[in-house]
Every structure is written in structure tokens, then in C-alpha cells.
Amino acid sequence: MSESRESVLLADVPDGLFIGGDWRAAEGDKRLRVFDPATGGVVKQIADASVADGRSALDAADAAFSAWSRTPLRERAELLRRAFDLLQERKEDFALLMAIEMGKPIAEARGEVAYGGEFVRWFSEEAARIQGRYGPNPEGTGRMIVSQHALGPCYLITPWNFPLAMATRKIAPALAAGCTVVIKPAELTPLTTLYFVKLLQDAGLPKGVVNVITTSTSGAVSEPIIRDPRLRKLSFTGSTPVGQKLLAQAAEGVLRTSMELGGNAPFVVFDDADLGKAVDGAMAAKFRNIGQACTAANRFLVHRSVADEFAARVTERVEAMRIGRGTEDGVVIGPLIDDRAVTKVDALVTDAVERGATLRTGGKAVPGPGTFYEPTVVSDVTSGSDILREEIFGPVLAIVPFDDEDEAVRLANDTEYGLVSYVYTESLARGQRMIDRLETGMMGLNVGVLSNAAAPFGGWKLSGLGREGGAEGIKEYLQTKYTLTGDPFA
């Protein structure tokens, strides 16, 4: 990609807060810097919101709620549809912007534009399908009316790893349901959200319906918003420890919450699996987004009879991966998001090897500018290794052998997390058993990528609460009212 094209795009991204329909500077004109993880260089300086700025954003969302919640369903739907169409027109700009600020390979960034756009299109269609019900009560003494109503102002906190899709997955259902929002993107990758809200503005977004605050002091700015009695919904995607703190704050106001938290996904390969498909699925499930995804396969549980062959095949594939800046064509592995991510991944690999695992390829940071880590394969990882308990969030494939189905299930469920699992088997009966036995909110059966805007995304156990996407996604922003009227024939 040419530097001139990048410069023009970055100049087009707003650098202010978006509050009440206007782009404005932060209090005291405070700024924060956004970095390119592939080079370490600053790509843009943007507004750094204060507590007062956060309060102003909520003021705007609260003021706009009454009118927006009464806006006809079709008008909400058409706004989202216009936004979807504009996103298709500007897809290359959004892909490049994510490759710059997050580091993901440009081909994957284009895939995220398609994925993120589908949430906008899906919920544009769901907006007009909000329904209630009417009918007699069993005693015949009256008529029951069950209606759905927008919750109110919502606070949306998104992570850095999927800057567009995580924003659209929250904004679109909120708007479709008639809610107004304040969204706070991650400090590391805020530019895509700013650019998307500018797109919403171009699509005709009414003032105050969506407000954006970017800040380097997330906890300080977020807590007063969450504790404000006008807020009715909190949606967060991020780590479990942070999610637990936010839930504690949300409990005070009995807020509706959606929490998409950490994962520790097992990828189970049985002895009857099609190994070719399993290897293809492993590469997608592990190395998509440089391994920096909550849905990334974390523990590869492979039947002992095929473990060596599986390890050899994935190692060959990994060694052929090209590392580089995500903007370069052909790059498969971009940088990790920052130095802390590199340090964490390296510590997990070192611990596994020291405990007896075999390092087959990779295993170290790449010298030079940027925060790159070699794509890595470790096999025969032993029980007790940190890499089996912690979310890796990097390009490391860790293999553990097992001997029978019961052991595979025990190992897969041996975690406090339960977001997603992957199973490879040619046995229909075994696949059905895994649906019942694996403790995860989602499962890929002979597939390595399963996220879809039409499906409910979410986990069990410490992986979260609520669902995003699918028919379930809009319900997270609606509340139910039951009304009883008298018998019209009495």
C-alpha cells in the first residue's frame, strides 16, 4: 500500500469525540496517540476523553432516546441499510485502516469488513421484526398484551482485536431496537470506530443516537457512566477479570448486561477425523487474526494415534507462513498488538518447553521494529503448563495427545471458560455426543471458523453472559411489558 494512500485515509478519520451529533475536542484538549504495531510509529493523535466528556456523551444519548425509541421500525431499518451500503462502497478504506492500526493482514481485514457489515445488514432486517403477542388469558377474564420496548441508553465497550465487527455487533442491534448508545472503543484501535460513526453520520444518523468517546483512562471514565441511573444496558467484550469488575459496578443499577469474555477453546481431533480437513481447520481456528481472537483454538487435543502426523502437517504449514506488516499482500502473520502481548506469548511458550513440551518451530520474538512473534508449534504439552490454562492470544499452536473419548471430553472441559470448541470426527454419533458433552456456548463440528451474524455468539461459565448476533441479539436491547385488559365481551 502506498504511503500517500495511507496518509489520505488517516487524515479523513475524525480525531475528536462524537457527542450529540458534533465532533469536538476533549476537555482541556487532551490527546492520546495511536500506534502502528508493525512499526511502532504514531499514526494519529485523537481526543482523550475525561470523566466530564463521558457524562456529556451520556447526556446526549439520554436526550435522544425518547425520539429515537418512537422512530418507526422501518426508518431505523433503512438507516442501517444505508450504512451497510456505504460500508460496501468504502470497504477497502476500512480494511486498510484496520491493517494499519491493529496489524491484521489485509486479506483478513477485508474479511472483517464483510463480517462486520453483515451485522449491520442483519439487524437492519431484524428491526422491522420486533413483535409482541395478544390473546385471552386461560381463565377467559381478559386479554393479555405482551409488548417489546427499547431498554434505554446503552454503554458499549469494544476490544482492540476486531475494531469494526465488535462495533457493528453492538451498535446495530441497539439502534434496531430503538436504543441510543455511548460507545467506547479500545485505546489501542479506536480509529475504525471513529470512521464507522462518521459513516453512520453520512447515512443520516440523528443527533445523539450514537456517541463516541475515546480515552486513555477507561476505568475512570466508564465507572460514572455505568453507575448513572439513566443508563440501562452495558455491553462489554474483553477479558474476564475486567468483565467481572464491570458486572459488579452494573449490579448497583441492576443493568441489563451482555458480557463476551475470555476463552480457552479446545480443538479436538479424533482418530477417525479427516486429517486434511482437521489441519485446514486448525490453521484457520488458530492463526486467524494472528491468534488474537477469543474464538482462537487454544488447546489442540489430538488422539495419540494421529498426533505425530497432525503435528508434522501443521508444522509444515506454519513454517511456510509469511510474516510482515499487514498492509503487504501475501502476509499471513502480522504483528501482535503491543510489547506486553509479545512478552506474554513468549512466557507461555517458554513455560511449556521447560515442562517438557517439544518446540517444533518458532518460539521467539522477531527482532527489529514492531511487535512480531514467530508462528509456533509445540507438541506433547504436559499437564500443568500455563499455556493450557491461559488464553494465549498469539500465533502458538499447542498440542496435547489423548487416548479415548472420555479423556478428550475431560481435558476439553477442564477450564473455567466455555466460549467455543472445535471437534473433528467423521462419526455422526460422536459429533452429536460432543454437542451434549462439551461445555461451551458454541461448537464448530468439522469447521474451523463459525462466527456468523445470523447466529447467537456467546459463552458459558466465565466466558460471559448474553448473546450477540442472530435473532437473540436484538432481544438483549429490548424489555418485555405485559398488559392485561378486561374481557371485551363482559
Side-chain angles (χ1 to χ4, degrees):
M1 300 291 176
S2 68
E3 290 186 11
S4 60
R5 184 186 166 201
E6 291 184 23
S7 298
V8 170
L9 173 59
L10 289 167
D12 196 36
V13 176
D15 62 1
L17 310 176
F18 189 65
I19 298 176
D22 297 317
W23 295 100
R24 64 171 75 170
E27 183 181 46
D29 201 26
K30 190 178 178 184
R31 315 278 281 176
L32 66 85
R33 295 181 298 172
V34 181
F35 296 89
D36 178 346
T39 66
V42 176
V43 296
K44 196 174 181 74
Q45 294 192 51
I46 62 172
D48 188 354
S50 67
V51 171
D53 291 322
R55 187 178 300 112
S56 294
L58 183 57
D59 290 344
D62 182 56
F65 172 68
S66 179
W68 180 246
S69 64
R70 295 195 307 270
T71 298
L73 305 182
R74 182 61 66 195
E75 289 185 27
R76 296 183 216 157
E78 291 301 327
L79 169 69
L80 290 170
R81 181 65 201 207
R82 289 194 299 273
F84 170 79
D85 291 338
L86 287 175
L87 185 58
Q88 305 318 299
E89 294 174 11
R90 304 173 190 178
K91 60 185 177 182
E92 285 300 315
D93 286 339
F94 276 92
L96 177 57
L97 187 57
M98 285 189 285
I100 293 170
E101 71 167 338
M102 188 261 149
K104 68 178 64 195
I106 190 69
E108 290 193 19
R110 292 182 179 117
E112 182 176 342
V113 176
Y115 175 50
E118 281 305 306
F119 286 108
V120 182
R121 176 158 62 175
W122 174 263
F123 286 110
S124 75
E125 296 162 345
E126 289 295 286
R129 296 176 184 149
I130 298 172
Q131 298 176 343
R133 56 189 172 91
Y134 168 85
N137 63 3
E139 298 77 15
T141 57
R143 297 293 185 267
M144 299 184 297
I145 301 171
V146 179
S147 53
Q148 302 296 322
H149 305 265
L151 277 171
C154 305
Y155 188 41
L156 316 178
I157 305 175
T158 57
W160 52 262
N161 56 338
F162 289 93
L164 178 65
M166 297 303 96
T168 60
R169 195 162 79 182
K170 296 179 190 299
I171 291 174
L175 268 55
C179 295
T180 55
V181 308
V182 177
I183 184 167
K184 189 201 75 62
E187 177 186 355
L188 294 170
T189 59
L191 303 182
T192 302
T193 299
L194 293 170
Y195 203 46
F196 178 68
V197 172
K198 180 182 179 181
L199 180 151
L200 287 176
Q201 194 178 18
D202 292 342
L205 181 74
K207 291 184 176 183
V209 173
V210 175
N211 306 273
V212 186
I213 52 173
T214 52
T215 181
S216 62
T217 55
S218 180
V221 171
S222 295
E223 185 170 356
I225 296 174
I226 294 169
R227 294 190 186 279
D228 192 301
R230 296 173 297 175
L231 190 74
R232 297 315 314 145
K233 163 83 181 187
L234 169 64
S235 178
F236 170 75
T237 298
S239 73
T240 294
V242 173
Q244 290 169 323
K245 292 178 182 177
L246 295 176
L247 279 170
Q249 295 172 12
E252 183 177 303
V254 195
L255 298 183
R256 181 81 71 85
T257 57
S258 297
M259 294 279 155
E260 196 263 283
L261 307 177
N264 189 3
F267 188 105
V268 186
V269 181
F270 286 99
D271 53 345
D272 66 343
D274 180 321
L275 269 192
K277 291 180 181 178
V279 169
D280 287 343
M283 301 307 289
K286 175 71 264 182
F287 296 103
R288 175 174 175 247
N289 212 44
I290 324 159
Q292 299 175 122
C294 56
T295 55
N298 216 58
R299 299 164 293 145
F300 287 79
L301 312 177
V302 185
H303 193 276
R304 197 174 301 277
S305 66
V306 295
D308 284 342
E309 183 179 355
F310 178 84
R313 290 197 193 187
V314 295
T315 299
E316 181 180 7
R317 295 276 292 273
V318 167
E319 288 177 338
M321 287 179 160
R322 181 184 169 194
I323 305 172
R325 190 169 186 248
T327 56
E328 301 169 9
D329 287 334
V331 165
V332 178
I333 299 294
L336 295 184
I337 191 63
D338 58 17
D339 290 325
R340 290 181 300 173
V342 174
T343 299
K344 176 187 176 181
V345 171
D346 192 56
L348 292 175
V349 173
T350 299
D351 174 77
V353 173
E354 288 178 349
R355 292 175 185 267
T358 300
L359 178 63
R360 289 180 173 260
T361 190
K364 61 181 183 296
V366 178
T371 47
F372 294 89
Y373 195 87
E374 294 178 336
T376 300
V377 178
V378 287
S379 60
D380 297 307
V381 178
T382 60
S383 176
S385 298
D386 292 342
I387 207 167
L388 300 181
R389 296 195 303 269
E390 298 185 26
E391 194 169 23
I392 300 170
F393 244 61
V396 180
L397 193 156
I399 301 171
V400 179
F402 70 85
D403 292 305
D404 57 40
E405 182 177 311
D406 286 341
E407 183 184 13
V409 171
R410 178 182 62 78
L411 291 172
N413 290 338
D414 185 21
T415 174
E416 61 194 350
Y417 298 104
L419 185 62
V420 62
S421 54
Y422 304 91
V423 174
Y424 277 77
T425 177
E426 292 297 289
S427 167
L428 175 60
R430 174 177 279 149
Q432 290 175 318
R433 290 195 298 272
M434 292 303 102
I435 294 173
D436 286 344
R437 299 186 73 185
L438 296 187
E439 298 169 351
T440 59
M442 301 177 286
M443 191 178 100
L445 184 56
N446 294 320
V447 295
V449 176
L450 50 69
S451 298
N452 191 287
F457 188 105
W460 293 2
K461 301 192 283 188
L462 292 190
S463 285
L465 301 166
R467 293 295 182 269
E468 294 185 308
E472 295 81 358
I474 198 168
K475 295 176 183 177
E476 299 284 342
Y477 294 88
L478 295 168
Q479 54 191 344
T480 301
K481 177 179 285 187
Y482 152 61
T483 303
L484 179 67
T485 65
D487 180 0
F489 293 99

